[in-house]
Amino acid sequence: MRRSSDDTVRFVSSNRHKYDEALPVLRGLGVRVEYERASLQEIQSDELAIIARAKARDAYGRLGRPVIVEDDGLFIEALGGFPGAYSSYALRTIGIAGILRLLDGSGDRRATFSAAIAYDDGSESRAFEASVRGVISEVSRGEKSWGYDPVFVPDGQDKTFAEMGPDQKIGASHRTGALKAFAKWYAG
Ligand code: IMP
């Protein structure tokens, strides 16, 4: 049990989608959470947990209150794990079209979507990780979506994240596993 004095943890991110998907999970596990919009300093590392912990330290430094932040990565087998910790950069530069082009003709479309949730309250710094295995679809599928949702199909499903309803996406996502591990530690 690591509840803060005001019993609310701030989810700090510039990406509201992450919070929208985290809120029902955390609420359901008894964690009170509020959104705080901020672009955090991101260090370079191949490890999501290291990046997430550094971002959480930066967020705590700005807010002076207990925070959680998230760092994600899509690790594509045939590309040696690329874009991994550089997934946000890859999306901004080559985009989904570029990723699909890199996989053109590849028989191996396996990928892992990973999430690291880091907590920082000024004295304690922790990271919680989870992953979901899946494949990269041949083409982009799904309308309302964000990030890599239109091309990631989790194992055991035939829909991309973007083709799923919000509950199904949340139930299947990398984010949810990491949030559950955090909540188990935080809320006991
Ligand atoms: P970030 O560095 O933590 O922001 O995440 C790396 C990249 O993965 C970003 O481009 C995010 O938009 C993307 N991403 C993270 N989680 C998801 C998700 O659940 N669906 C789609 N894209 C995601």
Side-chain angles (χ1 to χ4, degrees), residues 18 71-72 87-88 91 113 146-149 169 174-175:
K18 292 182 182 178
D71 201 72
D72 304 299
S87 295
S88 167
L91 202 58
F113 223 147
W146 59 282
Y148 291 97
D149 272 3
K169 156 82 196 281
H174 49 307
R175 167 170 306 101

Side-chain angles (χ1 to χ4, degrees), residues 37-136:
R37 185 180 187 83
S39 288
L40 299 168
Q41 213 177 355
E42 197 157 315
I43 62 158
Q44 218 169 28
S45 166
D46 293 349
E47 288 199 36
L48 301 182
I50 292 175
I51 299 169
R53 285 178 65 183
K55 280 206 289 195
R57 186 47 45 112
D58 178 33
Y60 177 79
R62 294 175 192 219
L63 268 65
R65 293 164 177 277
V67 295
I68 51 173
V69 308
E70 177 181 335
D71 201 72
D72 304 299
L74 180 65
F75 297 79
I76 300 175
E77 297 271 343
L79 305 180
F82 178 83
Y86 308 95
S87 295
S88 167
Y89 180 74
L91 202 58
R92 283 199 312 274
T93 52
I94 60 173
I96 281 187
I99 296 284
L100 291 178
R101 227 173 296 128
L102 289 174
L103 286 176
D104 225 9
S106 167
D108 180 4
R109 304 190 72 90
R110 288 174 301 154
T112 302
F113 223 147
S114 299
I117 294 287
Y119 169 87
D120 201 303
D121 62 11
S123 52
E124 192 127 35
S125 156
R126 296 256 182 157
F128 304 85
E129 293 180 85
S131 292
V132 172
R133 288 179 195 277
V135 293
I136 303 298

